[in-house]
Amino acid sequence: MLSSPENSIAAALPSASPHHAGIAGRDTIPVTLLTGFLGSGKTTLLNRMLADGRMKGAAVVINEFGSVAVDHDLVHKGSERYVVTTTGCLCCTATSDVRTSLFELQEMARRGDAPPFDRVIVETTGLADPAPIVNSLIPGGAPATGFRDHAVARRFRLSNVVATFDAEAGEAALDGHIEAWKQIAFADDVVITKGDLAPESSMIAHGRISGLNPFARLHDRHRAGFDPLALVGSGSYSPTGRLEDVAGWLVMETMGAHEAHEHDPDRHGDVRALQLRADDPLDPKAVETFLTILTGQQQAGLLRLKGLLALGDDPARPMVVHAVQHRLYPSLRLDCWPDSDTTSRLVLIGTDLPVEPIRKLFETLARRKRSWWGGKGKR
């Protein structure tokens, strides 16, 4: 939250008076909502979009599930880019966090603490219900409760919703998680990912998505000619003309139908996030064994694994690791750490995770050091 005086903010706003939260004017900045279930390739798609020179003026808001942020370190940044990160249970904090983040962006640019921007991309956590976010940014949605909300309504508009869909794991996500279904239902565009790994599943996905949302435009990220910039909207999002369920979900949100629960930033229903950290570089071979064990237990309930790890053979170049369910994807080494934090951090998201055994296994890994890079622990 920012503490700037309201009169200084008002001076930076357009002269037209707001009629309702979400009313879009000619000078409003378009916001693209990028959603999709855990591990479906949102960050990869976002990086491809940001790598295009035409996106130089884009700012990014990233929401991550859990109290430790990892995804923001994997997003393309530069002197022209401003990235805001929020963590926690988005279903509870969506309206607050999205409006607060957009307000912060506006204020940073106004003060000259961040470069000007001409559009915003909001990347949600894979467990996000899009309804409260959409409600916070469209006319007639969540009511404006303060000056900040009115300021955001006058300056920003939701232009479109983009959802990613994993050709390999998407079917299971749809069958097991209502959030995955709603992400597809709200989308203007659905991008099928990992079709190169499962061509037959990609064809099945086209049919399933068309059945869930016949109004969405379908894209294959691996098909020749795919242009990620075609996903960047310039109009205004409207819930009309979509499945009746979409309008119903939005109404339920405005009526406060969200089920009350404790706001644990590491838990969402029966899904929880487990955070693991290590201060010292890790043994590469032990890391390989640890990741193989985690992803080899299909009954363990793992949905997503992601992290940045410092390895003893070259701790200045962190290794990016990620897995979706039991599939461990090839790791890669970054040229340098994204910021001054050089600790290894790993986030596991799943249902019924064996938390203590995983934690103890990681602690054993963290204690293991190879003598050839200066460690004195056991081989």
Side-chain angles (χ1 to χ4, degrees), residues 60-97:
V60 180
V61 175
I62 299 173
N63 179 267
E64 301 190 45
F65 177 58
S67 54
V68 175
V70 171
D71 285 347
H72 77 292
D73 285 328
L74 307 180
V75 171
H76 173 77
K77 300 185 181 76
S79 59
E80 77 287 356
R81 190 88 58 220
Y82 184 60
V83 179
V84 175
T85 305
T86 63
T87 58
C89 181
L90 192 69
C91 66
C92 300
T93 62
T95 299
S96 171
D97 278 355

Side-chain angles (χ1 to χ4, degrees), residues 46 50 55-61 80-84 105 115-122:
L46 176 60
L50 297 179
M55 292 291 288
K56 182 178 180 180
V60 180
V61 175
E80 77 287 356
R81 190 88 58 220
Y82 184 60
V83 179
V84 175
L105 283 171
F117 57 94
D118 55 20
R119 69 170 48 256
V120 180
I121 301 177
V122 176

Side-chain angles (χ1 to χ4, degrees), residues 21 27 67 102 163 182 202 209 214 229 249-250 255 285 353 361:
D27 297 327
S67 54
L102 293 176
K182 294 172 80 170
S202 179
I209 294 169
L229 269 294
W249 286 324
L250 292 173
M255 296 175 63
K285 289 295 184 182
L353 290 174
L361 184 63

Side-chain angles (χ1 to χ4, degrees), residues 47-250:
N47 273 327
R48 186 167 173 183
M49 295 169 72
L50 297 179
D52 192 297
R54 293 171 288 175
M55 292 291 288
K56 182 178 180 180
V60 180
V61 175
I62 299 173
N63 179 267
E64 301 190 45
F65 177 58
S67 54
V68 175
V70 171
D71 285 347
H72 77 292
D73 285 328
L74 307 180
V75 171
H76 173 77
K77 300 185 181 76
S79 59
E80 77 287 356
R81 190 88 58 220
Y82 184 60
V83 179
V84 175
T85 305
T86 63
T87 58
C89 181
L90 192 69
C91 66
C92 300
T93 62
T95 299
S96 171
D97 278 355
V98 169
R99 288 177 174 172
T100 298
S101 296
L102 293 176
F103 183 73
E104 179 184 342
L105 283 171
Q106 177 180 324
E107 278 297 277
M108 292 284 287
R110 184 187 65 82
R111 295 196 304 262
D113 295 334
F117 57 94
D118 55 20
R119 69 170 48 256
V120 180
I121 301 177
V122 176
E123 180 192 357
T124 75
T125 171
L127 292 170
D129 177 350
I133 311 174
V134 171
N135 255 344
S136 69
L137 296 173
I138 62 172
T145 58
F147 189 86
R148 177 207 64 190
D149 293 351
H150 283 291
V152 169
R154 297 175 69 172
R155 195 71 181 113
F156 300 91
R157 73 179 187 277
L158 180 63
S159 59
N160 63 318
V161 177
V162 178
T164 51
F165 185 84
D166 186 331
E168 286 190 301
E171 287 282 308
L174 288 174
D175 293 338
H177 302 271
I178 184 63
E179 295 90 350
W181 199 99
K182 294 172 80 170
Q183 289 162 0
I184 298 298
F186 274 89
D188 299 292
D189 296 87
V190 178
V191 180
I192 297 176
T193 63
K194 306 178 187 177
D196 57 329
L197 302 175
E200 292 184 3
S201 297
S202 179
M203 296 183 64
I204 295 173
H206 275 78
R208 183 77 185 270
I209 294 169
S210 295
L212 292 175
N213 184 350
F215 307 102
R217 295 177 291 270
L218 301 186
H219 312 263
D220 191 326
R221 193 176 75 82
H222 296 282
R223 183 167 295 175
F226 170 65
D227 181 10
L229 269 294
L231 303 172
V232 179
S234 58
S236 296
Y237 183 89
S238 173
T240 59
R242 301 174 188 272
L243 297 178
E244 292 182 1
D245 290 335
V246 170
W249 286 324
L250 292 173

